[in-house]
Structure formats: C-alpha cells, structure tokens
Amino acid sequence: MKIGLAILALCAASADAFGVPSTRAFATRSAAMRTSLAMSTAEKTEEKAEKKEDDDDKGDEKKKVEGKKAGDEAPPVNIGWNSHKPVEEVPKTLVREGDGPDGNYPMRAKFEKMCREAQISITKAISDIDGGATFQEDCWVRANGGGGMSRVMSDGKVFEKAGVNLSVVYGSMPQEALQAATERGVDRSKGMAPGERVPFFACGLSSVMHPRNPFCPTMHFNYRYFETDGGVWWFGGGTDITPSYINEDDMKHFHGTYKKICDKHDPDYHKEFKAWADRYFVIQHRNETRGFGGIFFDDQNDRDPDTIFEFSKECLNSVVDAYGPIVEKHKNDEFTQKQKEWQLMRRGRYVEFNLVYDRGTVFGLKTGGRIESILMSLPETARWEYDHQVEEGSPEAEFLKVCQQPRDWV
C-alpha cells in the first residue's frame, strides 16, 4: 500500500514538473495525502497500544520481581564474630517466638529441643567410650536473638578431640551467598526483592570426633533446619565417616545402619543421599574424597515438614549406634609410628576440605559466627609431607583407591 501511494505521488509530481497542469494530479496527490495521513494515524495508534501493552507487561514484571525487602530490624549480613555474650546459666531455650523472620515457630522449637537432647545423649555416650576425659560446655547468646552451646572434649584416653555444637542463628545473607551454598540451584532467596539481603533463621547440631588410634575413624555429623524471611524452609544434614585404613566390616556396619534408616523412610533415600555424600565430600584440588562418605542431604522440603523432621531425628539419634561400636572395637589396637603419621596426613586432608569447601564453615565465617565453634571441627594435630607418595600395593595405596573411586559398602 505504501509503495503504491509513493508511485502515485511520483507520477503526479512528474506531470507538474513537465508543465502539464491537471486537476487529476491535484486530486491524486490529495487522496494520497489523506490516505497517508490516515495510515500514519492508525500506525501511531497501534504503536501507542503496543507501548501501553509493553509498559503494562513491564509493570507486571516489576511487581513480580519487586518482592519483599529486609526490614530495618533485620540483622546485618555479618553479625560480628565477637557479638556473642558468654553466659554461665544455660537458658531453657534459644528459640523465642518474637525473634527473627516470621515462620514456623513450633518447628523451630521442636528442632532445637531435638538437638539439645541429642547433644546430651551423644556426649554422654562418647565420654563413656573414652573413659577418661569429659566434655567442657560453653554457652553464649546474642543481642539480636539466638546463641549456642558447645561441648568439647580434649586430651582424652581414646579421643584426642571431640566436639558437639548446638547453634541457633538469626542473621542475614546476601542472595549470591545463599545461592552458592546449595548444590542443586534451589532458589533460597525466593520471595525477596532482587539484591536484597535475606534474613533467616537456622538451628543445627554439628559434631566431629577425632580418635587417637589410626584404626578408629574420624566421624562427622550435622543436622539443620532453615527458614528465610521470604517464606522458604528446608532441612539438611548427614553423617559421614573418615577412616585412615580400610576395614570392610566397619564400613558395612556404619553404612548399613544408615541404609536401614533411609529405607524405612523412603526406598530412594539411601541411593540418593549416599551418592550425594560421595559428591559433596570431595577435595577437588586433590581429586579424592575426604573419607568413605555416608549420607548427605540438603534443601529437603518436598514433603510435610514433620515427615522430614522425623527422618532427621532418627538419623541423628543413630549416630552412636553407627559409630560407637567401631571405636570400641579398635580403641586399643596396636599401631606403628608410620601408621600414626599416615593418620595425621589424612587429617591434613580433612583440614583442607573443611577450610576450603565445607559449606558449614563458609556459612559460619560469612555470617559472623563464633570462631571457636566454627573451627571446633579441626583436629589438634595434622601433618603435611611434601610430595608424599604411597607405596604401590600398600594398605595406604588401597585406601587412596577408595577415595578416588568411592565404593558401595552395602
């Protein structure tokens, strides 16, 4: 249509140029101008409509992404490593209904109660196994709510160091830090405005046990519950074992204990969570796992929270059953200086993983956690030898093969 109008206008212009006066030329030109004007008006109307539609879409999009903003009362991103205040009397609870973002207060209280009870029962069982040292307890609180209790044993007969930490945290995290803290790309900042820090509640119980004897494995567990101000909640946790030498029966007992629990709650759990542990506990710069794994899970919110709570509770309450008999079995085994040195080198690998890759350590440091509690997981002694090579065919070499190619023990 526009091309045809242009041709008509061109013809009329040519007639005038050659001195051919014609009413038709004027009529054609006027018609062309009216048509062009009508089309121009229609196009402009259409453009305005499209622009309004775009603006509406942008407005809707803006409303969608606006999200919630952290309130003035929300704690800063780093609440300060020295913001904790030691207290002599342990408070009845560290979870108070008015603290932190709105959320599932009954679950917060229930999870903390579970952690406290497990801390008491586990430390008693480990003290009984050690037969010498006892756990020292420290308690602290924070002005903005929350706090924690650490129970640490050192210089025991069986355990060089063992600790069980309870923590309740009300803090804020940058969205990118929350995103980096998950393996599966779960949107933990959902509901919050882009770039806005995310106020959160977290409660967890974590532990590491470092025995003296090289034939007694190190053991670690962590069970936790999170909520954010945007309405996101999830459970995470796991128990894993880090020996220095292979013992088939020990590994079958440890992994078998958790397979029974997993199978009871969901037939797919053990396969999924065992593989997750093998992926998670990797020292990437060594291309080997920290130990022989166990179970590990995170971002669990795909079913009723009480259902996941019961699974976490049974896993936590089975720590002593899974680990205690192994330590009892080997705590008096004879060992050589070479075997002790190998154990210390494996502890060195443990330190590397915890300081470089462990999400709990990174999370604690980024949120201004209590340093003594965060670094409680580190052993008192470790060893690094320059370019150490194991002898081919040795027990140490066989151990490394499992760290490079994780096995299914049950």
Side-chain angles (χ1 to χ4, degrees), residues 89-365:
E89 187 175 345
V90 178
K92 186 177 179 180
T93 178
L94 293 166
V95 174
R96 298 181 305 195
E97 190 163 331
D99 292 339
D102 290 336
N104 188 342
Y105 296 109
M107 178 57 71
R108 295 179 187 182
K110 185 162 72 167
F111 198 88
E112 186 210 18
K113 183 175 182 290
M114 176 194 79
C115 290
R116 281 194 175 211
E117 291 173 351
Q119 184 184 42
I120 293 168
S121 63
I122 290 170
T123 51
K124 182 183 183 306
I126 295 302
S127 293
D128 292 344
I129 292 172
D130 189 87
T134 57
F135 283 84
Q136 170 192 339
E137 183 174 81
D138 295 326
C139 184
W140 69 96
V141 295
R142 295 184 187 275
N144 68 304
M149 284 179 283
S150 289
R151 289 190 170 193
V152 179
M153 169 196 289
S154 58
D155 198 27
K157 289 182 180 179
V158 176
F159 293 93
E160 179 184 279
K161 185 181 180 184
V164 185
N165 285 343
L166 167 65
S167 61
V168 173
V169 183
Y170 298 94
S172 294
M173 280 282 275
Q175 293 187 14
E176 61 273 16
L178 277 174
Q179 196 68 15
T182 183
E183 177 181 299
R184 302 186 298 175
V186 176
D187 185 7
R188 289 176 168 174
S189 58
K190 184 180 178 181
M192 302 298 294
E196 192 72 17
R197 71 186 193 276
V198 184
F200 67 87
F201 162 86
C203 177
L205 189 71
S206 61
S207 172
V208 178
M209 312 279 180
H210 292 292
R212 294 187 180 279
N213 196 299
F215 297 107
C216 291
T218 287
M219 185 276 302
H220 157 263
F221 70 78
N222 180 294
Y223 291 90
R224 54 198 177 273
Y225 173 68
F226 276 78
E227 291 181 8
T228 73
D229 200 21
V232 181
W233 60 268
W234 69 93
F235 292 81
T239 307
D240 64 281
I241 198 161
T242 305
S244 299
Y245 289 94
I246 299 173
N247 185 297
E248 298 273 350
D249 291 339
D250 293 348
M251 293 304 100
K252 286 178 180 177
H253 170 76
F254 178 83
H255 289 273
T257 300
Y258 280 99
K259 185 178 189 305
K260 286 179 184 176
I261 298 168
C262 288
D263 290 349
K264 175 182 172 182
H265 289 265
D266 189 311
D268 295 327
Y269 268 0
H270 187 260
K271 182 179 179 181
E272 180 184 353
F273 296 164
K274 197 273 182 187
W276 204 338
D278 290 338
R279 290 195 308 272
Y280 176 73
F281 293 106
V282 173
I283 309 167
Q284 296 173 24
H285 59 272
R286 299 281 189 182
N287 195 31
E288 64 187 47
T289 58
R290 183 176 75 177
F292 288 0
I295 61 167
F296 179 87
F297 60 93
D298 206 359
D299 305 306
Q300 294 299 298
N301 59 5
D302 61 342
R303 56 199 75 187
D304 182 79
D306 288 313
T307 301
I308 308 174
F309 170 84
E310 291 300 329
F311 171 67
S312 299
K313 182 178 180 179
E314 189 165 357
C315 287
L316 179 55
N317 289 338
S318 299
V319 165
V320 175
D321 292 340
Y323 180 60
I326 298 174
V327 178
E328 291 275 24
K329 178 181 173 183
H330 297 291
K331 65 183 183 181
N332 295 318
D333 286 2
E334 293 184 359
F335 56 88
T336 66
Q337 179 62 26
K338 180 182 177 183
Q339 289 167 334
K340 182 65 180 178
E341 289 173 357
W342 172 248
Q343 179 199 37
L344 295 179
M345 280 188 275
R346 293 313 304 174
R347 283 189 185 172
R349 298 292 198 269
Y350 200 95
V351 171
E352 290 177 25
F353 176 85
N354 278 34
L355 293 182
V356 179
Y357 303 109
D358 184 71
R359 292 180 196 158
T361 303
V362 173
F363 178 83
L365 293 174

Side-chain angles (χ1 to χ4, degrees), residues 2-20:
K2 287 184 179 179
I3 294 174
L5 290 172
I7 293 172
L8 286 174
L10 181 62
C11 290
S14 299
D16 288 343
F18 283 94
V20 185

Side-chain angles (χ1 to χ4, degrees), residues 23-44:
T23 308
R24 183 182 173 185
F26 288 107
T28 301
R29 186 178 304 170
S30 299
M33 288 177 68
R34 285 195 302 270
T35 305
S36 176
L37 180 61
M39 288 198 59
S40 176
T41 304
E43 286 171 357
K44 284 180 181 178

